Amino acid sequence: MTGAVSPDRRRFLTAGAAVLGAAASARLCLPDAARAAETPLPEGVFSLGIASGDPLPDGIVLWTRLAPDPLAGGGMPDRVVPVEWQLAEDPRCKKVVRAGIAQARPEYGHSVHVDVRGLRADRTYWYRFRTGGQLSPVGRTRTAPHPHSSGGSLRMALASCQNWQHGYFTPYADMLDQDPDVVVFVGDYIYESTPSATALRRHEGTGEPFSLVQYRNRYAQYRTDPDLAAMHANAPFVVTFDDHEVDNDFAGEIPQDPDKQPHDAFVARLTAAYQAFYEHMPVRATAVPTGPHIRMYRRLEFGRLARLNVLDTRQYRSDQATSQTGAQDPSLTMLGARQKRWLLNGLQGSPARWNLIASQIMMAETDLRVGEGKLWFYDAWDGYQAERNRFLQEFRQIRNPVVLSGDRHLTMISDLKEDYADPGSRVVGAEFVGTSISSNGDQDQEAFRREWDPRRPDNPHWKLLDAHRGYHLFDVRRDRIDAQVRVVDTVRRPTATPSTLARLRVEAGRPGVEVV
């Protein structure tokens, strides 16, 4: 995989709706009799766009959801609807290599998840859907390299935290121009907060979502953002969730406010939230929820170049500590016993040059207290000291570990140290905490500096700290990872000016990260 953008590719991106939505000039190859037998559906069934995800060397997941009335439950008839799909080797879908019919079922919000297999490794494909005489946009996706491939490069984008009410998703427009091979989204795809009368873009509904229909409506609103929709249509996503897909700072089956959300009510909320997450994400059938449970931790391979371990740091964790002493309780777990063994085994036995960990929350220490003593943020890995420290010790034996995180609404790039209690302990890895797509909006940069700069002497492992909105872009090669912090000048308008805030590098065989 490479990050180069050809002139033809740029023309395809900018052609936009004129080409992608032209049903008359891009019909699926179906018999006339099949077309005549179709039952009419409401107009606009593809209002939520299309997406792909979780690339394998021989496969990809294709996604859409039929929703002609997206903010009112979807607006589809209460019946199973057949949806035709095609995967082709060209953007006009003339060279079709796979095709079939998927069933959009009302019990899953008329979402469609097609797990296409038998494809060629490290290849670009185009895909589309059709139902009821309506044709979807054309999407572009890519498979992972061959399992034994050890060369080449991988361009990866890291994104998180897109609050509809805080701003437009303008960083995605720049991400589209940078043409990543894959987008890793580490949580807070939606926010469950109540609609605000003063918000730049007001959430739909009248309150927080609790039911399945309410969560569907919230996801549908986010899916209508044009920059997000365009990015989904042009690169595969690898997604996981954090807290706001359900409830702020929840832990397992414990809500943020258990006095206001009884256990049974919160379990029902979890059940609804996880199903809506599945319905709107390009993930495989392994992620179909069972009640208040969903399997999201998984591993993706990009040849021998990179192994990506995707974590779930919400569903299996202990309740958050409330004190420094509590945070050091060895019984507390972030991952749960099974996921912890899975991660350690995957790191220890990895054949990959780079071992990447997609973690929703920050792993490096954040000491919030200026001067003597420490004050931690308990919802992050700092609140689970024993388990975090075990991983950091393990990193000594792992080849090139790099953690990719979100949650903090700021860029915080750090060395990972074996023991943060010992300033002289060795560096064992690197962490990139990506800033938010829109959450926190356009921050006051001077106020941010006044708050955070005094803390830097107590956190010498921090290499870069910033509060602009944007995302991180990585070019992964055998000998190094070149990283860019890409930011925009505003999320308060539908368009923005992007720039590179900083460039950083991680050298293979040399733990830690340096500003270039």
Side-chain angles (χ1 to χ4, degrees), residues 410 440 442-455 465-468:
L410 51 80
N440 280 20
D442 293 347
Q443 282 189 252
D444 182 332
Q445 300 299 317
E446 291 186 5
F448 174 80
R449 290 294 170 197
R450 287 195 298 271
E451 178 185 0
W452 285 89
D453 283 353
R455 295 168 174 158
L465 194 63
D466 184 78
H468 286 86

mmCIF file of all heavy atoms in Angstrom, residues 410 440 442-455 465-468:
data_model
loop_
_atom_site.group_PDB
_atom_site.id
_atom_site.type_symbol
_atom_site.label_atom_id
_atom_site.label_comp_id
_atom_site.label_asym_id
_atom_site.label_seq_id
_atom_site.Cartn_x
_atom_site.Cartn_y
_atom_site.Cartn_z
ATOM 1 N N LEU A 410 -6.979 16.399 22.367
ATOM 2 C CA LEU A 410 -5.738 17.134 22.154
ATOM 3 C C LEU A 410 -4.713 16.175 21.568
ATOM 4 O O LEU A 410 -4.863 14.965 21.638
ATOM 5 C CB LEU A 410 -5.219 17.764 23.447
ATOM 6 C CG LEU A 410 -5.084 16.897 24.711
ATOM 7 C CD1 LEU A 410 -3.819 16.054 24.693
ATOM 8 C CD2 LEU A 410 -5.087 17.780 25.946
ATOM 9 N N ASN A 440 -14.602 19.748 21.428
ATOM 10 C CA ASN A 440 -14.019 20.958 22.042
ATOM 11 C C ASN A 440 -13.967 22.138 21.085
ATOM 12 O O ASN A 440 -13.583 23.239 21.490
ATOM 13 C CB ASN A 440 -12.637 20.718 22.650
ATOM 14 C CG ASN A 440 -12.714 20.070 24.013
ATOM 15 O OD1 ASN A 440 -13.721 19.474 24.371
ATOM 16 N ND2 ASN A 440 -11.649 20.185 24.782
ATOM 17 N N ASP A 442 -13.156 25.016 18.317
ATOM 18 C CA ASP A 442 -11.951 25.828 18.132
ATOM 19 C C ASP A 442 -11.494 26.344 19.489
ATOM 20 O O ASP A 442 -12.026 27.327 20.015
ATOM 21 C CB ASP A 442 -12.244 27.010 17.200
ATOM 22 C CG ASP A 442 -12.537 26.579 15.772
ATOM 23 O OD1 ASP A 442 -12.268 25.399 15.437
ATOM 24 O OD2 ASP A 442 -13.034 27.411 14.999
ATOM 25 N N GLN A 443 -10.519 25.679 20.064
ATOM 26 C CA GLN A 443 -10.079 26.041 21.407
ATOM 27 C C GLN A 443 -9.269 27.325 21.427
ATOM 28 O O GLN A 443 -8.613 27.690 20.448
ATOM 29 C CB GLN A 443 -9.255 24.902 22.026
ATOM 30 C CG GLN A 443 -10.113 23.751 22.540
ATOM 31 C CD GLN A 443 -9.292 22.756 23.339
ATOM 32 O OE1 GLN A 443 -9.032 21.649 22.881
ATOM 33 N NE2 GLN A 443 -8.884 23.139 24.529
ATOM 34 N N ASP A 444 -9.290 27.974 22.573
ATOM 35 C CA ASP A 444 -8.442 29.126 22.845
ATOM 36 C C ASP A 444 -7.031 28.597 23.100
ATOM 37 O O ASP A 444 -6.752 28.018 24.153
ATOM 38 C CB ASP A 444 -8.984 29.885 24.062
ATOM 39 C CG ASP A 444 -8.184 31.137 24.389
ATOM 40 O OD1 ASP A 444 -6.975 31.180 24.084
ATOM 41 O OD2 ASP A 444 -8.761 32.062 24.996
ATOM 42 N N GLN A 445 -6.148 28.784 22.129
ATOM 43 C CA GLN A 445 -4.812 28.193 22.226
ATOM 44 C C GLN A 445 -3.993 28.799 23.370
ATOM 45 O O GLN A 445 -3.241 28.095 24.050
ATOM 46 C CB GLN A 445 -4.078 28.354 20.893
ATOM 47 C CG GLN A 445 -4.776 27.681 19.718
ATOM 48 C CD GLN A 445 -4.924 26.179 19.898
ATOM 49 O OE1 GLN A 445 -3.994 25.494 20.331
ATOM 50 N NE2 GLN A 445 -6.100 25.652 19.577
ATOM 51 N N GLU A 446 -4.146 30.091 23.609
ATOM 52 C CA GLU A 446 -3.394 30.711 24.700
ATOM 53 C C GLU A 446 -3.862 30.186 26.053
ATOM 54 O O GLU A 446 -3.041 29.926 26.941
ATOM 55 C CB GLU A 446 -3.529 32.234 24.637
ATOM 56 C CG GLU A 446 -2.827 32.862 23.437
ATOM 57 C CD GLU A 446 -2.867 34.374 23.493
ATOM 58 O OE1 GLU A 446 -3.367 34.927 24.512
ATOM 59 O OE2 GLU A 446 -2.404 35.008 22.528
ATOM 60 N N ALA A 447 -5.167 30.012 26.201
ATOM 61 C CA ALA A 447 -5.684 29.460 27.455
ATOM 62 C C ALA A 447 -5.208 28.026 27.650
ATOM 63 O O ALA A 447 -4.884 27.606 28.782
ATOM 64 C CB ALA A 447 -7.210 29.529 27.456
ATOM 65 N N PHE A 448 -5.157 27.267 26.564
ATOM 66 C CA PHE A 448 -4.657 25.900 26.642
ATOM 67 C C PHE A 448 -3.202 25.885 27.120
ATOM 68 O O PHE A 448 -2.832 25.090 27.988
ATOM 69 C CB PHE A 448 -4.786 25.233 25.278
ATOM 70 C CG PHE A 448 -4.170 23.858 25.206
ATOM 71 C CD1 PHE A 448 -4.836 22.755 25.698
ATOM 72 C CD2 PHE A 448 -2.901 23.683 24.651
ATOM 73 C CE1 PHE A 448 -4.265 21.492 25.642
ATOM 74 C CE2 PHE A 448 -2.326 22.424 24.589
ATOM 75 C CZ PHE A 448 -3.017 21.330 25.085
ATOM 76 N N ARG A 449 -2.392 26.759 26.569
ATOM 77 C CA ARG A 449 -0.987 26.808 26.978
ATOM 78 C C ARG A 449 -0.835 27.198 28.443
ATOM 79 O O ARG A 449 0.013 26.657 29.165
ATOM 80 C CB ARG A 449 -0.225 27.792 26.085
ATOM 81 C CG ARG A 449 -0.047 27.318 24.652
ATOM 82 C CD ARG A 449 0.848 26.100 24.607
ATOM 83 N NE ARG A 449 0.846 25.474 23.295
ATOM 84 C CZ ARG A 449 1.258 24.241 23.054
ATOM 85 N NH1 ARG A 449 1.699 23.500 24.045
ATOM 86 N NH2 ARG A 449 1.226 23.744 21.845
ATOM 87 N N ARG A 450 -1.636 28.138 28.870
ATOM 88 C CA ARG A 450 -1.546 28.546 30.280
ATOM 89 C C ARG A 450 -1.880 27.382 31.216
ATOM 90 O O ARG A 450 -1.295 27.269 32.298
ATOM 91 C CB ARG A 450 -2.490 29.723 30.548
ATOM 92 C CG ARG A 450 -2.029 31.046 29.956
ATOM 93 C CD ARG A 450 -2.796 32.215 30.556
ATOM 94 N NE ARG A 450 -4.228 32.138 30.276
ATOM 95 C CZ ARG A 450 -4.807 32.661 29.205
ATOM 96 N NH1 ARG A 450 -4.072 33.299 28.281
ATOM 97 N NH2 ARG A 450 -6.115 32.556 29.026
ATOM 98 N N GLU A 451 -2.799 26.534 30.787
ATOM 99 C CA GLU A 451 -3.185 25.404 31.635
ATOM 100 C C GLU A 451 -2.177 24.268 31.582
ATOM 101 O O GLU A 451 -1.852 23.672 32.618
ATOM 102 C CB GLU A 451 -4.559 24.886 31.216
ATOM 103 C CG GLU A 451 -5.009 23.675 32.012
ATOM 104 C CD GLU A 451 -6.325 23.087 31.523
ATOM 105 O OE1 GLU A 451 -6.894 23.627 30.540
ATOM 106 O OE2 GLU A 451 -6.787 22.085 32.106
ATOM 107 N N TRP A 452 -1.666 23.954 30.389
ATOM 108 C CA TRP A 452 -0.894 22.731 30.211
ATOM 109 C C TRP A 452 0.615 22.914 30.244
ATOM 110 O O TRP A 452 1.336 21.998 30.674
ATOM 111 C CB TRP A 452 -1.304 22.047 28.908
ATOM 112 C CG TRP A 452 -2.635 21.377 29.038
ATOM 113 C CD1 TRP A 452 -3.860 21.922 28.795
ATOM 114 C CD2 TRP A 452 -2.869 20.043 29.487
ATOM 115 N NE1 TRP A 452 -4.845 21.009 29.049
ATOM 116 C CE2 TRP A 452 -4.280 19.843 29.473
ATOM 117 C CE3 TRP A 452 -2.048 19.000 29.888
ATOM 118 C CZ2 TRP A 452 -4.858 18.636 29.857
ATOM 119 C CZ3 TRP A 452 -2.627 17.788 30.259
ATOM 120 C CH2 TRP A 452 -4.008 17.616 30.249
ATOM 121 N N ASP A 453 1.153 24.029 29.824
ATOM 122 C CA ASP A 453 2.605 24.195 29.806
ATOM 123 C C ASP A 453 3.246 24.050 31.186
ATOM 124 O O ASP A 453 4.345 23.473 31.299
ATOM 125 C CB ASP A 453 2.986 25.541 29.180
ATOM 126 C CG ASP A 453 2.883 25.511 27.658
ATOM 127 O OD1 ASP A 453 2.655 24.410 27.100
ATOM 128 O OD2 ASP A 453 3.034 26.582 27.025
ATOM 129 N N PRO A 454 2.616 24.542 32.270
ATOM 130 C CA PRO A 454 3.233 24.339 33.589
ATOM 131 C C PRO A 454 3.375 22.873 33.988
ATOM 132 O O PRO A 454 4.177 22.543 34.876
ATOM 133 C CB PRO A 454 2.273 25.072 34.539
ATOM 134 C CG PRO A 454 1.615 26.102 33.687
ATOM 135 C CD PRO A 454 1.456 25.450 32.350
ATOM 136 N N ARG A 455 2.640 21.978 33.338
ATOM 137 C CA ARG A 455 2.707 20.559 33.672
ATOM 138 C C ARG A 455 3.826 19.819 32.935
ATOM 139 O O ARG A 455 4.145 18.675 33.276
ATOM 140 C CB ARG A 455 1.371 19.884 33.344
ATOM 141 C CG ARG A 455 0.209 20.390 34.195
ATOM 142 C CD ARG A 455 -1.116 19.925 33.652
ATOM 143 N NE ARG A 455 -2.216 20.285 34.551
ATOM 144 C CZ ARG A 455 -3.484 20.402 34.196
ATOM 145 N NH1 ARG A 455 -3.819 20.199 32.924
ATOM 146 N NH2 ARG A 455 -4.410 20.720 35.074
ATOM 147 N N LEU A 465 2.555 18.650 22.417
ATOM 148 C CA LEU A 465 1.273 18.914 23.065
ATOM 149 C C LEU A 465 0.593 20.049 22.306
ATOM 150 O O LEU A 465 1.189 21.107 22.093
ATOM 151 C CB LEU A 465 1.519 19.324 24.521
ATOM 152 C CG LEU A 465 0.350 19.341 25.494
ATOM 153 C CD1 LEU A 465 -0.225 17.947 25.675
ATOM 154 C CD2 LEU A 465 0.807 19.899 26.842
ATOM 155 N N ASP A 466 -0.678 19.814 21.876
ATOM 156 C CA ASP A 466 -1.367 20.835 21.088
ATOM 157 C C ASP A 466 -2.865 20.599 21.160
ATOM 158 O O ASP A 466 -3.324 19.474 21.396
ATOM 159 C CB ASP A 466 -0.906 20.787 19.627
ATOM 160 C CG ASP A 466 -1.539 21.893 18.802
ATOM 161 O OD1 ASP A 466 -1.063 23.047 18.923
ATOM 162 O OD2 ASP A 466 -2.497 21.613 18.071
ATOM 163 N N ALA A 467 -3.647 21.670 20.918
ATOM 164 C CA ALA A 467 -5.104 21.584 21.060
ATOM 165 C C ALA A 467 -5.858 21.989 19.802
ATOM 166 O O ALA A 467 -7.028 22.357 19.888
ATOM 167 C CB ALA A 467 -5.559 22.436 22.237
ATOM 168 N N HIS A 468 -5.234 21.938 18.622
ATOM 169 C CA HIS A 468 -5.967 22.167 17.385
ATOM 170 C C HIS A 468 -6.761 20.913 17.015
ATOM 171 O O HIS A 468 -6.406 19.798 17.391
ATOM 172 C CB HIS A 468 -5.012 22.517 16.242
ATOM 173 C CG HIS A 468 -4.451 23.902 16.323
ATOM 174 N ND1 HIS A 468 -3.311 24.189 17.055
ATOM 175 C CD2 HIS A 468 -4.861 25.071 15.781
ATOM 176 C CE1 HIS A 468 -3.044 25.485 16.943
ATOM 177 N NE2 HIS A 468 -3.967 26.042 16.183
#
